[in-house]
Amino acid sequence: ALRLTISDDGSGISPAASPGFGISGMRERAASAGGTLEVIQRPGQKGVTVVAMLPVRSSSEAPAPAELRGTLQ
């Protein structure tokens, strides 16, 4: 599997923030690829960490380039 970890030292996600589509959209995309997405925010610490775990396909299982068109934006 491929593990992608992104962290920042900002103010974090406010509990009063209205739910948008950013994180839920990232979770849906990770799930559609057979993976997971976790958002970690620890009390008393600054920032947020986002961890995506995605399966890695062998070259024989990888989609042809034509199948990838339009998937990255």
Side-chain angles (χ1 to χ4, degrees), residues 1-72:
L2 170 69
R3 178 184 172 127
L4 176 66
T5 303
I6 301 169
S7 298
D8 72 11
D9 61 355
S11 60
I13 301 170
S14 169
S18 61
F21 297 106
I23 293 172
S24 61
M26 290 189 292
R27 278 197 176 107
E28 287 176 11
R29 287 178 184 217
S32 72
T36 60
L37 184 106
E38 180 180 10
V39 178
I40 304 164
Q41 182 170 309
R42 293 191 171 84
Q45 293 183 349
K46 289 182 116 186
V48 174
T49 299
V50 177
V51 180
M53 294 288 291
L54 303 167
V56 177
R57 300 180 188 180
S58 71
S59 59
S60 63
E61 298 172 313
E67 295 175 50
L68 294 175
R69 286 193 193 115
T71 60
L72 300 176

